[in-house]
Amino acid sequence: MKILLVCSEALPYCKSGGLADFIFSFSKALKEEGQDVSVILPYYNSIKYKFPETNKEIYDKFGFDMGTHYQGCTTYFYDLNGVKYFFTCTDRFERDGMYGYYDDTERFACFMMAVNTFITRHNDFDVVHCNDWQSAVLPLLLHYNPRHEIKTVLTIHNPAYQGWARRDDVYNFFKLDTNYFDSGYCRLNNCFNYLKTGIMASKKVNTVSKNHANELINDHLGYSGIGAIIDYCKHNDFTGIVNGLDIDVWNPKTDHNLVCNYDVNTYESGKAKNKEAILNKLGLKNDFKGPLVSAITRLSDQKGVDRLMQVFPYLKNYDAKYIVIGTGEKEGDFLYQSLPYKEVYFVKNYDENLAHLLYAASDFFLMPSYFEPCGTSQLISMRYGTIPIVSSVGGLVDTVHDMSTNELATGYVFNNSDPGAFISCFKSAMDFYLSNDPFIKKVITNGMTGDYSWKKSCKEYLELYNSITW
């Protein structure tokens, strides 16, 4: 099967969130399953300068009409370990950042039009798999493709971001009839909504965990009502498939970022050495008897940054240290609130090597998100012998077994709708650590031996592709 993954980011080339990890590890898993897999994404300046090898081979040059103007595009090709990467180079992406510009909807419309033209010129894909709003209009464009039997799938990684434009942009950006807007097909709250368009036009729609799929389809008011659209228009073609983890990259036994590798039999000594290493690296004293607590996150409302700050006053009671790596719109507030607490150390930038080391060094990992479609940090922490404390939302419910499950337990899951549940859960976890209860070894062992690979999820995606009929 020839599969094209259409996305706005993908490791190792560009990343702002979990989508980049998804594309990289999923494409690798598809390749291992014997599929012919390609990835296409915009050619950002950051890729051009950091990965100069990517523009050595020009695959195609073409132009297309966006309605208001003619746009030229050069497409580059690079083979990365058997996965074919294509990069659409247009002037819209010759900027320092990936997102956050006033004209993002037009920029990604340009990307989708480029991909549509690319598919038309090289019309040999069996499946076109789109991801999030930045590629969501593509399935509608493919309705006009000369090869009508292309299977289309849209994966919603984060329904909070949808792509909003104006009625006239249906034509100005995509050269489509504005009747699509007037009929309501791509209209939401009197705006042209990219994500709704993708839901309507794709053959199949999914999100990245079973629990989040249930949350979405049963929530008709949140996310601007996108759940109601899924429920009414795609109920039988909507599913949840939990994300896997790249277990080659995230493996404490082989991870080159650690000062001491370890496995389920040697985690106690291994984690102790990595804890000593990260404290030395950050200039912190190893002068505490309690646990090392951590969070690696985007500092935003979604991720529960207010909850992450709620633990500050309790750290001293448990003689604990707290290390947080993150950036985001709330980073200034987090830094200011943390200043009075010497138990807190804040790293205000994402460092991949340091993140690996922190997962290995920590005793507990905090992930108190208000919504979390899937999440990977909880998977990594369990694999590295770090007990997660998570909210009862999305994929966190699907992947972390609460302490109430006894012999199956891998972490703590608190009630997201209870305002006091997080701190209560945090205190229970701290008490559990200080009690030296031997059951803690069982919880850690369960987490480290869980199957977080892409094998099962990859097969579910292949079944989803094969379920599309005409």
Side-chain angles (χ1 to χ4, degrees):
M1 193 182 305
K2 296 197 74 172
I3 302 162
L4 178 66
L5 303 179
V6 188
C7 54
S8 60
E9 57 183 81
L11 284 175
Y13 301 111
C14 49
K15 174 180 176 175
S16 74
L19 174 59
D21 302 276
F22 170 90
I23 295 295
F24 177 73
S25 54
F26 178 45
S27 62
K28 190 165 76 169
L30 286 171
K31 180 67 179 175
E32 290 171 356
E33 288 292 324
Q35 306 303 314
D36 185 339
V37 59
S38 301
V39 176
I40 191 164
L41 66 159
Y43 199 47
Y44 303 105
N45 273 349
S46 58
I47 303 176
K48 183 190 306 183
Y49 298 132
K50 292 180 183 177
F51 302 92
E53 68 275 12
T54 57
N55 62 17
K56 300 302 181 185
E57 183 177 341
I58 295 176
Y59 191 82
D60 197 4
K61 283 188 175 182
F62 51 80
F64 49 90
D65 190 349
M66 284 188 69
T68 57
H69 67 278
Y70 190 80
Q71 176 72 49
C73 178
T74 299
T75 304
Y76 296 105
F77 168 76
Y78 188 77
D79 187 297
L80 182 66
N81 301 321
V83 176
K84 302 167 188 172
Y85 277 82
F86 296 96
F87 306 90
T88 61
C89 182
T90 65
D91 55 2
R92 305 306 175 87
F93 292 93
E94 293 179 352
R95 303 181 188 181
D96 294 335
M98 295 166 55
Y99 314 122
Y101 297 98
Y102 74 96
D103 59 344
D104 274 356
T105 49
E106 184 177 4
R107 293 170 69 232
F108 286 99
C110 180
F111 169 61
M112 285 182 266
M113 291 292 282
V115 175
N116 182 54
T117 307
F118 173 82
I119 293 170
T120 302
R121 291 168 65 86
H122 308 280
N123 210 342
D124 57 353
F125 296 105
D126 301 304
V127 178
V128 174
H129 185 159
C130 302
N131 295 271
D132 275 347
W133 73 266
Q134 294 92 342
S135 56
V137 184
L138 182 59
L140 177 57
L141 299 176
L142 290 176
H143 285 184
Y144 298 93
N145 193 279
R147 182 181 170 190
H148 295 293
E149 66 271 19
I150 295 176
K151 300 178 178 182
T152 54
V153 173
L154 172 66
T155 296
I156 302 171
H157 298 267
N158 192 333
Y161 301 96
Q162 300 182 11
W164 299 88
R166 301 168 301 175
R167 174 187 182 274
D168 291 347
D169 294 333
V170 175
Y171 179 82
N172 294 339
F173 294 170
F174 297 101
K175 208 177 180 182
L176 292 169
D177 194 312
T178 51
N179 185 57
Y180 279 110
F181 182 93
D182 297 335
S183 67
Y185 188 90
C186 66
R187 187 180 73 239
L188 184 61
N189 295 339
N190 209 34
C191 292
F192 172 23
N193 185 282
Y194 287 21
L195 189 62
K196 179 184 178 180
T197 305
I199 292 167
M200 299 296 293
S202 297
K203 289 292 183 180
K204 297 287 182 179
V205 183
N206 82 290
T207 189
V208 289
S209 70
K210 289 177 173 55
N211 188 54
H212 186 58
N214 289 330
E215 290 173 340
L216 267 182
I217 210 164
N218 289 298
D219 181 1
H220 287 195
L221 299 177
Y223 310 111
S224 301
I226 210 76
I229 294 162
I230 296 171
D231 191 14
Y232 296 144
C233 304
K234 275 292 191 290
H235 189 98
N236 295 324
D237 292 309
F238 180 63
T239 188
I241 301 175
V242 70
N243 283 348
L245 188 67
D246 191 329
I247 58 174
D248 295 326
V249 172
W250 296 104
N251 185 350
K253 193 174 181 179
T254 58
D255 192 336
H256 67 274
N257 297 287
L258 310 188
V259 298
C260 179
N261 293 111
Y262 59 91
D263 59 20
V264 69
N265 297 310
T266 59
Y267 74 83
E268 290 182 271
S269 60
K271 288 181 74 66
K273 291 177 181 177
N274 286 296
K275 182 183 291 186
E276 185 70 36
I278 198 166
L279 293 173
N280 288 336
K281 189 178 182 72
L282 298 178
L284 301 175
K285 293 181 180 180
N286 192 357
D287 58 354
F288 61 106
K289 302 296 184 182
L292 175 60
V293 181
S294 67
I296 303 171
T297 185
R298 186 173 73 253
L299 293 170
S300 66
D301 290 331
Q302 175 206 337
K303 299 294 184 179
V305 67
D306 59 327
R307 290 168 169 170
L308 292 174
M309 294 187 289
Q310 284 175 13
V311 306
F312 292 165
Y314 301 97
L315 296 167
K316 188 175 182 180
N317 297 345
Y318 298 100
D319 197 17
K321 280 280 196 291
Y322 186 25
I323 300 176
V324 177
I325 298 175
T327 59
E329 59 267 30
K330 296 289 186 177
E331 64 185 40
D333 191 29
F334 187 91
L335 176 61
Y336 177 75
Q337 297 293 337
S338 69
L339 290 177
Y341 301 95
K342 63 183 180 64
E343 299 85 7
V344 182
Y345 191 93
F346 177 36
V347 181
K348 199 179 71 168
N349 65 284
Y350 182 76
D351 182 312
E352 187 76 17
N353 295 336
L354 189 65
H356 280 247
L357 186 59
L358 185 56
Y359 280 117
S362 302
D363 298 297
F364 292 94
F365 187 90
L366 304 186
M367 205 167 175
S369 305
Y370 284 100
F371 72 93
E372 192 69 57
C374 182
T376 55
S377 291
Q378 80 279 14
L379 305 179
I380 298 167
S381 64
M382 290 186 291
R383 186 160 167 79
Y384 279 61
T386 298
I387 299 175
I389 302 173
V390 306
S391 51
S392 59
V393 296
L396 303 180
V397 171
D398 289 339
T399 54
V400 179
H401 298 296
D402 182 57
M403 298 296 283
S404 61
T405 62
N406 298 318
E407 292 298 310
L408 299 176
T410 59
Y412 287 83
V413 182
F414 66 89
N415 185 351
N416 186 57
S417 61
D418 181 349
F422 171 59
I423 287 300
S424 177
C425 186
F426 177 79
K427 291 179 178 179
S428 294
M430 299 300 101
D431 288 334
F432 179 52
Y433 179 90
L434 294 177
S435 71
N436 293 314
D437 189 329
F439 186 61
I440 196 170
K441 294 184 178 180
K442 175 63 175 175
V443 177
I444 291 172
T445 299
N446 287 345
M448 292 189 72
T449 55
D451 181 8
Y452 311 119
S453 72
W454 263 103
K455 193 163 187 178
K456 181 176 180 293
S457 298
C458 186
K459 288 182 177 179
E460 289 185 36
Y461 271 107
L462 291 173
E463 290 171 3
L464 181 65
Y465 298 158
N466 288 321
S467 72
I468 299 174
T469 56
W470 304 96

